[in-house]
Amino acid sequence: MAAGTEELLAGGGYRALAVALAAVLLSLLRRRLPATALTVTAALIPHVGGFTPLLAVVGWSAGRRIAGPIRALVAFTAAYAVCIGVTLLGDEGRQSPLVLTLLITLYFLATAVVPGLSSRYWTQRRTLLHALRERNAQLLRERAMVAGQARLRERQRIAQDMHDSLGHQLALISVHTGALEVDPELTERQREAVAVLRGASVTAMHELREVVGILRDGVEAPETTSETNPAPDESGRAGRGTAGIDVLVETGRAAGNRVELRRSGEPRPLAAAADHAAYRIVQEALTNAYKHAPGAAICVELRHEPDSFVVEVVNGAADGGGGSGAAVSGGQGLTGLRERARLVGGMVHAGPADGGGFRVAGVLPYGGVEAAPFVGPSAAGASPDPDADLLAADAGLPSPRSRVGGVVLGCGIAVAAMVALAAVAVFGLVFLVGELDKGMIEPAEYARVQVGADEDQVRGRLPDGDTVATAGLRGKGPEPPEGAECLVLMSSEVGESIDTEPVFRFCFKDGKLIEKKAYEVRR
């Protein structure tokens, strides 16, 4: 661009090649030495018109890369002063210094200062947004740590309460059932029932200890879920998985309940979480049947279907005829089952069965499926999330409010810069027109002035010529008469070429107009 512009303005050849090489050099230096590149470009601008696009690029780099507002102000001021000085020295008095300074000021503001200010604003805004994102991310991490510590303290308190209350009661049950088991007055049938109770209390004690450990440490103890080892271990606890369902059924039968187990389909392995969820569904459904429909027949069915594993527990109405209406309310147990199934990508349904009774069915996937996002009651709510800005910053994105504020501020700065430039341009135009009126006349006015007329009369009809517009015209043209004082004015007509200016000169001596001349002066 620099070479092409220079070729159009001043001709091609080696000059255009030199301009292109200089533009390449300054473009490479503008990142490492922004102030130097800006000053050199500003110094070359008066003699190399093709550097106008380069000045805008160098000004943009200097605005964002010069550290500190004072240093940036000094750099741009020095570049402006160098540009003004080189321009005035190269002009050699051909134009008015004031007009030339005004034009160079407008040019430098538009091509260097405005890009520099825009670049500096953009860089500072990005730096501020980056700092805000880091701070918001740190606040989010600190808030998560505080919330985690609060949850840990609450879990420890709950664990301690469970251990102190339930542990004591289960220990009493275990001791009393152990004593009953060796009572010689009990029949064999009663001893078997008491043994079942004692085994259940021991298992409940161990499970309570595991739950307390999870609440305290957040880590669940290893479980026995192997298909090859479904039997209870030394603690009396059954393996918690589909293999342990057989033990649940046998325990229920030993307690005098009518429980039937059915299996269908080709067995396929389940994910650990889904396997544990199946065990819990059967355990909770059997517990509800024992409580709400005592004596009713219970059917546990496990179906390995092609796309999912289905667990279904159906119990009939209670022998007393009361049905299972009391179990319809569900309670916390069924709510927990639904949440457990949701977390592994499955679902649980509980409700009255056809012909009376109650039915609990769960559908679980074979592989690990990500849980569906939870949609709370206020998912479609009308109130915005107060943490939206923090979450957006933590994700590396500016929040909606920061984007709108940045756009408004940027537009405001741009509009202010444009208004300032327009005001300066209007002021310069009005000033230039006023100065031209003080030093310009029509050719017809020149023709009406007669040599020999009174000086005061002639000066009263003509402008005083005291203007910067004619400062560069004095001393040029034909030699004035000896001892005469001359008034030089510009013509309202244009010259024969762009480099010449038509001039009218009026010379006075001894109170009379002794000469008037019209000629052209080369600017």
Side-chain angles (χ1 to χ4, degrees):
M1 291 179 63
T5 305
E6 189 65 23
E7 185 174 359
L8 291 175
L9 295 177
Y14 292 106
R15 180 181 176 87
L17 179 60
V19 168
L21 294 177
V24 171
L25 179 61
L26 291 173
S27 297
L28 295 175
L29 290 177
R30 66 184 174 87
R31 296 178 181 270
R32 231 13 121 73
L33 303 172
T36 303
L38 176 64
T39 305
V40 173
T41 305
L44 295 177
I45 275 291
H47 303 291
V48 184
F51 273 8
T52 299
L54 178 64
L55 182 60
V57 175
V58 172
W60 176 275
S61 295
R64 66 178 299 185
R65 295 183 181 277
I66 297 179
I70 302 300
R71 295 181 60 184
L73 179 62
V74 171
F76 276 87
T77 303
Y80 169 71
V82 169
C83 183
I84 289 290
V86 173
T87 303
L88 294 178
L89 290 176
D91 186 66
E92 298 179 351
R94 292 191 296 268
Q95 295 186 19
S96 169
L98 184 59
V99 174
L100 196 59
T101 300
L102 179 62
L103 294 177
I104 292 298
T105 301
L106 292 174
Y107 174 80
F108 192 80
L109 283 174
T111 57
V113 176
V114 170
L117 288 176
S118 302
S119 173
R120 196 167 190 86
Y121 158 74
W122 180 257
T123 303
Q124 290 178 349
R125 179 178 179 272
R126 289 183 59 187
T127 304
L128 178 61
L129 284 177
H130 181 69
L132 288 176
R133 288 169 186 155
E134 289 185 348
R135 180 176 179 273
N136 290 340
Q138 181 180 359
L139 289 177
L140 283 175
R141 290 192 296 268
E142 292 177 356
R143 186 177 64 179
M145 291 174 60
V146 171
Q149 292 175 356
R151 286 195 300 267
L152 182 59
R153 287 195 298 268
E154 182 65 16
R155 286 165 54 177
Q156 290 176 347
R157 185 191 66 80
I158 295 173
Q160 190 63 42
D161 289 345
M162 291 177 61
H163 181 272
D164 294 342
S165 59
L166 295 179
H168 176 70
Q169 301 299 330
L170 291 174
L172 288 178
I173 294 174
S174 179
V175 170
H176 285 290
T177 52
L180 282 174
E181 191 176 3
V182 296
D183 190 345
E185 297 182 1
L186 295 180
T187 63
E188 188 64 27
R189 176 63 177 173
Q190 290 172 335
R191 285 194 181 91
E192 291 178 359
V194 172
V196 171
L197 292 177
R198 184 175 182 277
S201 64
V202 172
T203 302
M205 178 68 74
H206 284 280
E207 291 190 359
L208 175 63
R209 289 175 181 172
E210 287 190 0
V211 172
V212 169
I214 293 173
L215 288 175
R216 284 179 176 171
D217 304 328
V219 179
E220 188 171 4
E223 300 174 358
T224 306
T225 57
S226 173
E227 292 280 352
T228 61
N229 188 23
D233 58 19
E234 64 276 3
S235 67
R237 179 188 59 190
R240 285 189 235 156
T242 53
I245 295 177
D246 292 320
V247 178
L248 292 176
V249 173
E250 292 298 332
T251 304
R253 290 172 180 171
N257 298 288
R258 293 178 293 168
V259 184
E260 180 183 1
L261 177 61
R262 299 176 184 174
R263 296 179 183 269
S264 62
E266 183 179 355
R268 293 177 57 183
L270 290 171
D275 197 49
H276 185 61
Y279 176 85
R280 288 302 188 191
I281 291 173
V282 176
Q283 186 183 46
E284 181 65 24
L286 290 176
T287 302
N288 287 340
Y290 299 154
K291 289 191 301 183
H292 301 295
I298 305 172
C299 178
V300 179
E301 186 173 1
L302 308 178
R303 298 199 300 271
H304 289 272
E305 296 186 353
D307 55 348
S308 60
F309 179 70
V310 179
V311 180
E312 187 175 14
V313 180
V314 181
N315 63 269
D319 288 348
S324 56
V328 176
S329 59
Q332 295 300 318
L334 293 177
T335 302
L337 290 183
R338 293 189 179 95
E339 179 64 16
R340 185 187 295 272
R342 187 190 68 82
L343 291 176
V344 299
M347 59 179 295
V348 170
H349 169 76
D354 296 338
F358 197 75
R359 176 178 176 268
V360 177
V363 181
L364 304 172
Y366 289 113
V369 179
E370 184 179 356
F374 177 72
V375 181
S378 59
S383 62
D385 184 1
D387 296 329
D389 293 341
L390 292 177
L391 295 178
D394 189 46
L397 299 171
S399 67
R401 283 195 290 270
S402 69
R403 287 198 298 269
V404 173
V407 170
V408 171
L409 182 59
C411 291
I413 292 177
V415 170
M418 293 177 62
V419 170
L421 288 176
V424 173
V426 170
F427 171 77
L429 182 61
V430 172
F431 174 79
L432 184 60
V433 170
E435 292 295 308
L436 291 177
D437 287 341
K438 295 179 183 179
M440 181 181 293
I441 61 173
E442 298 284 341
E445 185 68 22
Y446 169 79
R448 283 194 292 268
V449 176
Q450 301 295 325
V451 177
D454 188 69
E455 179 180 358
D456 294 337
Q457 182 182 2
V458 174
R459 287 187 180 274
R461 296 176 58 181
L462 299 177
D464 57 10
D466 186 14
T467 172
V468 297
T470 60
L473 303 178
R474 299 186 183 93
K476 299 180 179 180
E479 289 291 329
E482 185 178 355
E485 181 181 355
C486 298
L487 172 64
V488 179
L489 300 175
M490 294 186 300
S491 173
S492 60
E493 293 184 348
V494 297
E496 295 180 356
S497 66
I498 193 173
D499 296 331
T500 59
E501 181 71 36
V503 173
F504 298 132
R505 189 178 70 184
F506 302 90
C507 296
F508 303 94
K509 186 177 181 181
D510 298 332
K512 298 292 183 179
L513 176 65
I514 63 173
E515 181 189 61
K516 69 172 185 176
K517 278 188 177 295
Y519 54 90
E520 289 189 353
V521 174
R522 183 171 294 276
R523 285 283 188 182

